[in-house]
Amino acid sequence: LRGGMRRHRETLEAMVEGAGWSGPAVEEDARWDEFDHLGVVARFPDLPADPFSLDRKEFQALFERATELWTSGGDGYDESWHDFGARTSAALADAVARSGSGQTVVVVTSGGVVGLVAAGLLGVSGAALPDTWQRLNTVAVNSGVSRVLVGPRGTRLLTFNEHEHLAGELLTYR
């Protein structure tokens, strides 16, 4: 499964080629798409004239404040925090339903989605969810691997954000 974004398609194509996988067709599911981070930042009330000219540290601080406003239920977003959570939960539920004994389901998505899935699998909900999601989202690396175990005791997070396969310039956040 993969989200509908170009980076999802290109990442999965590289994975399939590199691993020499064959078998079931890849399915696109836009519910695995990242939240509109550019839209979230653009709606921040104290936005500098050119937020993308900020250095990494300044942009990170702006990004965290903008996403905090979004997760607190701010208005005017194309997709609310609540709706992002609902679509992510539905996508995970469908992926879990596909898994069977001894089966592996591979999902290529983005860091915000992975952070939200991970927070939920850790049992975080309610008012604590946005803060936990923010903490996970801000440390997610590009091309990190998270593993979920589906079994008789439920769906559980096995690993989050593994990135031993990345080094040097290949390791970037978001």
Side-chain angles (χ1 to χ4, degrees):
L1 297 169
R2 67 169 173 83
M5 303 176 85
R6 184 178 118 199
R7 65 183 180 201
H8 299 152
R9 177 181 46 79
E10 291 175 352
T11 298
L12 188 55
E13 287 170 355
M15 288 171 59
V16 167
E17 180 182 335
W21 290 340
S22 62
V26 172
E27 293 183 35
E28 180 180 315
D29 183 345
R31 294 176 302 173
W32 290 106
D33 286 357
E34 183 64 281
F35 70 98
D36 179 11
H37 63 285
L38 296 176
V40 168
V41 169
R43 285 171 181 76
F44 189 67
D46 298 325
L47 191 67
D50 182 8
F52 299 102
S53 68
L54 300 173
D55 69 32
R56 295 179 111 192
K57 187 175 181 179
E58 292 169 328
F59 184 79
Q60 182 65 31
L62 169 66
F63 179 79
E64 289 179 28
R65 290 193 326 265
T67 54
E68 184 178 336
L69 181 62
W70 175 58
T71 62
S72 71
D75 294 328
Y77 299 98
D78 292 340
E79 178 179 46
S80 70
W81 164 251
H82 177 268
D83 290 346
F84 174 60
R87 80 168 158 88
T88 299
S89 293
L92 176 63
D94 285 351
V96 167
R98 290 170 174 259
S99 66
S101 181
Q103 298 293 319
T104 298
V105 176
V106 174
V107 177
V108 175
T109 184
S110 296
V113 175
V114 173
L116 190 53
V117 166
L121 292 175
L122 291 171
V124 180
S125 61
L129 184 60
D131 182 59
T132 302
W133 169 78
Q134 183 84 277
R135 290 170 182 265
L136 295 172
N137 186 42
T138 57
V139 298
V141 300
N142 286 330
S143 191
V145 176
S146 297
R147 293 185 286 162
V148 174
L149 179 64
V150 178
R153 296 180 62 181
T155 305
R156 296 177 287 162
L157 183 65
L158 185 61
T159 66
F160 171 74
N161 200 37
E162 295 175 324
H163 54 275
E164 293 80 15
H165 60 284
L166 300 173
E169 294 180 6
L170 294 177
L171 179 61
T172 60
Y173 293 86
R174 279 192 300 289

